[in-house]
Amino acid sequence: MTDIKPILYVALYDLSSGHQHVLLFKKDDRFIPVSDSSNNPNWALCVDMRGKLGYVPHTYINKVEINPDEYIFLVEDALEKIHAESPNSISKRTREAMKYLSDQRTIFLKNQKICNEYEDICSNKVLNNHETSHSEDSPRHAFQLSSSSHIPVSESNSSLPNDVQNNVASIAIHSETKNHAELSTQTDCITDYTVPTWLVPSLIESVRHKTQISHENSIAAVGVMLDIFKEAIPMLDQLWLQLKGNLKSEVLQEDTKTEVYSEDKRTLLDIFRQLWYCKNDEQQRSWPVHEDEDHISKLLVDLNNILVDANPRVTREIVQCDEYEMVLLLVTYYQMEPRRTLRIKMLHVFMTLCELDLRVVTHLLNSVITMELARDIQDNFEDREKVLYSTCLLAAIFSTGEQPPTGTYDFINKKFLHFLFEKLEEVVKDGEEDVGDSLLSIILSFNLHFKNPDENIVMGALKERNFAQYLTERLVFLLNREEDPSKILSHSMETPNSVMKFMVDLFHFSNLIDLFYLNDVKVLLDIVVRQLTDLLPGEKRRLEYLCLVRNLLKNSNYDEHMHQVEGLNKCFKFILDQEFPEESEVAIVTDIKNQFPSWF
């Protein structure tokens, strides 16, 4: 039997913006192709793992073969999600796609059944052959009859599965009739039973605290146990569906409150209570070198471990209590605690809290922690470990692009920015690029919240410098790689790419473009042309590259080299001639052509 392998698409790159009918995705995301519903050679109509139907560019995906069982599961899951998303308003295109997926599911189900039956036939034939060859009562030529008869070989082989299918069906009917009476009552009871909502969360909590594994791994362990129960006891199928549904909700609904008792919750409250006493200990303030350092250090380590491993719904509830009172407690304690080892451990805790809840970042932005971090970086710059942790946290706090309070500029000002620019060039010469990148991440993140380049103190500080070789080279490198050092946290935020924004702001000023070597400017133009050619219409990044090249043409001495003028002309023409032009892109291209009619 031929084992037909179904096809799945896997994303090779990210796609973050596009038309409404284009799916957005990350690298390694998977899609189920709906090939019978698309005749465009450049686009594939697909359903993603969220049940969203849309187009994916062929240049962004790769075909892979998967196991039929996995394909059947993914198709069933996709159909269920499509129904749940719009049960009463399914479009014609969606209905066609659903019919195709349903047909494919049926085909592979039948194929799997035939393959399984064929394997049973082969194994039974071998077994019977083995038994007959050893039986004294059976003639040795019993299995030679078919080969010497007038029945064609193909017909003989095809009739054999039919006979076995009939026998299997007869046995199944007999078995079902025999067991139906004794199972019906039990099955009805199980079907009518409703699983308590607290059961799955309690199972997960029990696994976590009996094994000391993380909450995420505990969910996986409970899922494995449920699958084993289903295979071992098929009559639990209805209960299994309820339990798996609750398990799925436990994974997805992280922002809802939980009523399940948690040992982590009790431990967290106890740790914060002890830290509160440490903060208010008068002896702690007057005599830092005290025998309580080991005790406090253990509290901070345990706190960080729970924040990392525990159920995030539980930890968020505690952290969010009384308008994030616990976070403000830690900020106050950090301000008054001079001991290096304890401060480093608190920096770990702050980073974990920022990753746990994005609103923690807002509270830290409006606290004194930014002042303390800036002071630590300047006063203890030789302490590389502490500097790396401090710069990482400070960059994370500014990475949201939120407007900081006006008092922030009292200590994160031109003087501090000059310090960062100066140290950035120095540490790279000494081979400490990791420190240089961490300093650059603060500059790029801090620059995000400035809307007007003329009021941007980062650009103001940069104007006062005559040399910024590492800065400019690194900016071009990062733009080419499409890396963003400000993306420290995993939260989904609508902030622009910090490198792109910095470059657009910088190229707003002609004297700042002079910081770049001519070769770097040419490389930058090569990047712009490549991206304008490759990016899809409507993608946000394409608009950003157009803004960048407009500033570059307007404020640099482009007429001295005219690098990539033909490439830019082709890109501009394509934007103006596309079937469904983007108004914002057309406006920038039109502005460029009007300003420089002799070039474009």
Side-chain angles (χ1 to χ4, degrees):
M1 295 295 292
T2 302
D3 188 12
I4 304 174
K5 293 284 189 180
I7 296 296
L8 209 66
Y9 291 150
V10 179
L12 297 172
Y13 320 101
D14 292 355
L15 182 61
S16 57
S17 62
H19 287 294
Q20 59 178 344
H21 297 306
V22 175
L23 292 175
L24 306 182
F25 50 84
K26 297 289 187 182
K27 181 182 177 183
D28 297 327
D29 281 0
R30 303 192 298 170
F31 315 93
I32 307 170
V34 188
S35 56
D36 283 7
S37 300
S38 174
N39 55 9
N40 191 321
N42 299 319
W43 297 86
L45 184 62
C46 303
V47 174
D48 64 17
M49 297 299 104
R50 300 167 298 170
K52 301 289 186 183
L53 178 69
Y55 289 96
V56 175
H58 278 297
T59 54
Y60 276 62
I61 55 178
N62 185 35
K63 288 183 179 180
V64 297
E65 292 184 346
I66 63 170
N67 185 284
D69 289 332
E70 183 181 3
Y71 179 81
I72 292 167
F73 172 80
L74 292 176
V75 168
E76 290 176 345
D77 186 59
L79 291 172
E80 179 183 342
K81 287 175 179 175
I82 293 173
H83 273 296
E85 184 73 20
S86 52
N88 300 319
S89 58
I90 298 178
S91 66
K92 179 182 178 182
R93 188 182 64 157
T94 303
R95 286 197 299 271
E96 291 175 353
M98 292 175 68
K99 183 180 183 304
Y100 173 81
L101 292 178
S102 182
D103 291 344
Q104 289 295 102
R105 172 185 173 277
T106 302
I107 290 170
F108 282 105
L109 278 172
K110 288 182 179 178
N111 185 62
Q112 285 295 88
K113 181 178 180 182
I114 292 171
C115 289
N116 293 337
E117 289 173 349
Y118 182 76
E119 290 175 0
D120 293 340
I121 291 164
C122 293
S123 61
N124 289 335
K125 182 176 179 180
V126 172
L127 179 61
N128 291 334
N129 191 11
H130 176 74
E131 291 175 350
T132 306
S133 65
H134 288 77
S135 173
E136 296 180 358
D137 297 333
S138 301
R140 295 179 61 83
H141 61 275
F143 284 103
Q144 298 174 2
L145 181 61
S146 62
S147 62
S148 61
S149 65
H150 297 289
I151 302 175
V153 175
S154 59
E155 182 180 345
S156 175
N157 290 341
S158 63
S159 63
L160 183 57
N162 291 334
D163 293 340
V164 175
Q165 282 181 340
N166 293 333
N167 290 336
V168 170
S170 300
I171 293 171
I173 293 171
H174 176 70
S175 176
E176 183 178 353
T177 304
K178 180 180 178 181
N179 297 323
H180 182 268
E182 63 184 68
L183 291 177
S184 60
T185 303
Q186 299 176 19
T187 304
D188 290 341
C189 294
I190 293 173
T191 303
D192 295 338
Y193 185 76
T194 301
V195 175
T197 55
W198 53 263
L199 180 57
V200 168
S202 294
L203 283 173
I204 295 170
E205 287 296 319
S206 296
V207 169
R208 163 154 167 69
H209 290 288
K210 292 292 183 181
T211 62
Q212 294 301 305
I213 62 176
S214 69
H215 176 73
E216 184 178 352
N217 289 335
S218 299
I219 291 176
V222 170
V224 170
M225 289 189 290
L226 292 179
D227 290 340
I228 293 173
F229 272 112
K230 184 197 175 189
E231 292 180 7
I233 313 174
M235 64 185 298
L236 293 178
D237 187 60
Q238 294 298 321
L239 288 179
W240 178 86
L241 287 173
Q242 292 186 54
L243 290 166
K244 288 290 278 190
N246 291 345
L247 187 66
K248 190 174 183 180
S249 299
E250 186 70 14
V251 176
L252 298 177
Q253 299 175 5
E254 291 189 349
D255 290 332
T256 60
K257 289 187 178 262
T258 176
E259 300 300 328
V260 177
Y261 171 78
S262 170
E263 183 68 20
D264 289 320
K265 183 176 182 179
R266 185 199 63 77
T267 305
L268 272 178
L269 290 172
D270 182 61
I271 290 174
F272 280 121
R273 178 183 58 81
Q274 293 188 61
L275 289 175
W276 183 86
Y277 282 121
C278 292
K279 179 183 75 72
N280 290 280
D281 185 358
E282 291 296 332
Q283 189 177 29
Q284 171 73 21
R285 298 187 186 192
S286 59
W287 187 24
V289 184
H290 192 258
E291 61 269 17
D292 65 354
E293 183 170 348
D294 290 342
H295 172 66
I296 299 173
S297 178
K298 184 178 184 306
L299 287 177
L300 293 170
V301 170
D302 291 345
L303 172 60
N304 195 66
N305 289 340
I306 292 176
L307 293 174
V308 170
D309 290 337
N311 184 346
R313 291 162 60 185
V314 171
T315 50
R316 285 195 191 101
E317 286 180 27
I318 302 300
V319 170
Q320 293 171 1
C321 280
D322 298 324
E323 293 296 317
Y324 294 84
E325 181 184 7
M326 302 301 183
V327 176
L328 301 179
L329 161 69
L330 288 172
V331 169
T332 305
Y333 186 41
Y334 183 88
Q335 187 180 21
M336 59 181 286
E337 176 56 77
R339 286 173 285 189
R340 174 185 180 276
T341 55
L342 296 182
R343 276 202 160 194
I344 289 178
K345 285 182 171 60
M346 278 189 272
L347 291 173
H348 280 279
V349 172
F350 282 126
M351 280 301 303
T352 305
L353 285 168
C354 290
E355 189 63 49
L356 176 71
D357 186 348
L358 191 57
R359 284 172 288 183
V360 169
V361 178
T362 300
H363 284 275
L364 294 180
L365 180 66
N366 290 278
S367 72
V368 296
I369 193 70
T370 51
M371 175 188 69
E372 290 294 329
L373 293 173
R375 182 184 298 161
D376 276 349
I377 294 170
Q378 293 178 91
D379 295 346
N380 303 286
F381 194 74
E382 300 305 317
D383 187 345
R384 291 294 191 257
E385 182 185 14
K386 191 174 182 182
V387 165
L388 285 172
Y389 289 131
S390 298
T391 52
C392 183
L393 179 58
L394 190 57
I397 293 173
F398 289 130
S399 67
T400 62
E402 292 180 71
Q403 181 73 37
T406 54
T408 303
Y409 305 114
D410 293 338
F411 43 92
I412 300 185
N413 47 28
K414 278 189 178 182
K415 180 181 178 182
F416 179 66
L417 289 166
H418 277 302
F419 173 85
L420 295 180
F421 285 130
E422 191 68 35
K423 293 299 180 182
L424 178 62
E425 302 293 331
E426 288 181 6
V427 295
V428 173
K429 287 181 181 178
D430 297 335
E432 297 181 277
E433 290 194 3
D434 56 338
V435 180
D437 287 345
S438 66
L439 296 175
L440 180 59
S441 67
I442 297 178
I443 297 170
L444 295 174
S445 298
F446 187 64
N447 184 69
L448 282 171
H449 75 275
F450 290 103
K451 308 303 180 187
N452 186 351
D454 294 316
E455 299 175 357
N456 187 333
I457 64 171
V458 180
M459 296 299 126
L462 197 56
K463 285 179 184 179
E464 298 172 4
R465 295 189 59 82
N466 298 319
F467 180 78
Q469 181 179 352
Y470 177 75
L471 173 68
T472 54
E473 290 177 353
R474 193 64 177 167
L475 288 172
V476 175
F477 173 83
L478 292 170
L479 193 69
N480 185 46
R481 297 281 293 269
E482 296 193 298
E483 295 179 3
D484 188 351
S486 74
K487 300 296 182 186
I488 298 170
L489 303 174
S490 63
H491 299 287
S492 178
M493 296 181 286
E494 294 299 322
T495 52
N497 181 288
S498 67
V499 179
M500 175 62 78
K501 183 185 182 303
F502 194 93
M503 293 285 274
V504 172
D505 290 346
L506 187 151
F507 277 61
H508 180 77
F509 304 98
S510 57
N511 57 330
L512 290 183
I513 297 180
D514 293 338
L515 292 172
F516 287 81
Y517 289 113
L518 178 58
N519 186 60
D520 290 336
V521 174
K522 290 182 177 180
V523 171
L524 182 59
L525 285 166
D526 292 337
I527 296 170
V528 170
V529 171
R530 186 191 73 220
Q531 294 287 23
L532 291 178
T533 303
D534 294 345
L535 292 173
L536 296 172
E539 281 200 61
K540 182 181 178 182
R541 286 184 298 156
R542 196 157 84 153
L543 184 64
E544 292 172 341
Y545 278 104
L546 286 171
C547 293
L548 175 61
V549 76
R550 178 173 60 181
N551 282 0
L552 189 152
L553 296 171
K554 181 180 178 181
N555 298 308
S556 72
N557 53 347
Y558 183 70
D559 56 333
E560 295 182 6
H561 54 85
M562 301 292 287
H563 184 69
Q564 280 287 6
V565 65
E566 292 183 5
L568 290 172
N569 262 307
K570 289 180 181 178
C571 293
F572 296 161
K573 186 176 186 303
F574 175 77
I575 290 171
L576 295 176
D577 294 345
Q578 58 193 4
E579 185 176 358
F580 302 104
E582 293 289 331
E583 293 184 5
S584 53
E585 295 178 359
V586 171
I588 294 178
V589 172
T590 303
D591 182 40
I592 292 173
K593 291 174 71 69
N594 290 338
Q595 288 191 57
F596 312 104
S598 60
W599 300 346
F600 309 106

